[in-house]
Amino acid sequence: MTDSPTRPILLVALGGNALIRPGERGTCAEQFANLRRPMGQIARLTDRYRLIITHGNGPQVGNLLMQQESCAEVPAMPLEILVAQTQGQIGYMIESTLESELMDLGGEKRCLVSLISYVQVAEDDPAFRAPTKPIGPHYTAEEAARFAWPMVNTPRGFRRVVASPEPLTVVEKDEIQRLVEMDFIVICCGGGGIPVTREGRAFHGVDAVIDKDLASACLGREVGVDTLVIATDVTGVATGFGTAGETFLRQLDAARAEQLLAAGEFPPGSMGPKVEAAVRFVRGGGTRAVICHLDEIGAAVAGTAGTEIIGGTT
């Protein structure tokens, strides 16, 4: 293996739209085809970085909810089980696609592992009383009115929302750190991790979905990640998003980012958690955080694309 301790650690957090693009049904073929673009970029970074990959699961976990709610004969599973299912599903798709891209590049064989991951949350987190995390497909206003679920209006339509508690710690952080030190490419914290609360030495799953960007920032601080890249479906952070006064921000100081967050500039169901995650990461000792488009991961790492959040430990 490559002499891993000499290479910095890069964590790439992939949005759920890395697999399902707007207008698609989300077939297996579509998801594998979509993954080739980010995985091709990530494969070319493995010689310079030790890699951790996290991923969202909003579309996939929402689809599982719809599937089980349409069939009364099959017992319904709680959200923490559905998150675990998507970790296996998406982890397999990422791992196999990345392995194919690495093989196409030639060179030595790399070790990859997909890790089922728990993330601890507080049992009394106020998020359980105010669901904010969008999951599943987008609906028109007329379609959304037919459902009894809590819904939120997003730029692309109405989506179901569920509780999204604050990530406190990644339970498998020590195992992830050891695997990275052994030069494994680690796929973990899928869908923000399986949400659990702690009771003594035991863990108990809870009905929620953790924001994958906040969980990624938490993991990054805990295992000593140098660079965090949050890859999504926009080119970066903008003020006045979707308006005539929209302004793209190439670089954003952590203090200014916090001011804009407090002013409500970044919506809680979309860009807000990404900016918050980037700020937490750099405040917690990370070298740099970048929010970029899925097609510009390599350029974002190189410093020529996306929005870079700068700042230091407080």
Side-chain angles (χ1 to χ4, degrees), residues 149-165:
W149 314 321
M151 305 286 283
V152 65
N153 191 7
T154 74
R156 287 165 49 197
F158 287 82
R159 295 183 76 187
R160 182 175 184 170
V161 288
V162 298
S164 184

Side-chain angles (χ1 to χ4, degrees), residues 58-111:
Q60 294 79 12
V61 77
N63 288 346
L64 284 176
L65 274 174
M66 293 175 64
Q67 286 176 337
Q68 69 176 20
E69 288 168 351
S70 67
C71 181
E73 287 76 18
V74 178
M77 295 290 109
L79 268 174
E80 74 267 19
I81 299 298
L82 301 187
V83 172
Q85 290 180 359
T86 60
Q87 284 191 358
Q89 168 195 342
I90 301 172
Y92 155 68
M93 300 181 86
I94 290 175
E95 185 173 339
S96 57
T97 305
L98 179 55
E99 188 165 40
S100 295
E101 294 294 328
L102 288 167
M103 289 172 59
D104 288 346
L105 291 177
E108 63 183 64
K109 178 176 173 56
R110 306 304 301 268
C111 296

Side-chain angles (χ1 to χ4, degrees), residues 135-263:
I135 62 172
H138 295 80
Y139 298 100
T140 64
E142 292 75 18
E143 291 170 330
R146 299 200 301 264
F147 298 114
W149 314 321
M151 305 286 283
V152 65
N153 191 7
T154 74
R156 287 165 49 197
F158 287 82
R159 295 183 76 187
R160 182 175 184 170
V161 288
V162 298
S164 184
E166 181 79 14
L168 301 179
T169 184
V170 178
V171 176
E172 293 82 10
K173 57 184 174 294
D174 292 338
E175 290 86 347
I176 293 168
Q177 187 165 36
R178 290 179 65 183
L179 287 166
V180 171
E181 289 171 353
M182 295 167 63
D183 209 21
F184 277 79
I185 298 172
V186 183
I187 303 159
C188 59
C189 290
I194 301 168
V196 297
T197 58
R198 187 159 201 156
E199 186 175 318
R201 298 182 64 183
F203 292 101
H204 302 280
V206 293
D207 207 39
V209 173
I210 302 169
D211 183 85
K212 74 99 176 41
D213 297 313
L214 296 180
S216 298
C218 180
L219 174 65
R221 297 193 307 270
E222 292 184 321
V223 303
V225 166
D226 298 282
T227 300
L228 169 65
V229 172
I230 298 174
T232 183
D233 58 354
V234 294
T235 57
V237 179
T239 55
F241 182 75
T243 71
E246 178 176 314
T247 303
F248 172 72
L249 304 173
R250 179 67 189 84
Q251 193 174 78
L252 189 57
D253 178 82
R256 178 58 178 159
E258 290 170 330
Q259 292 174 351
L260 292 171
L261 279 166

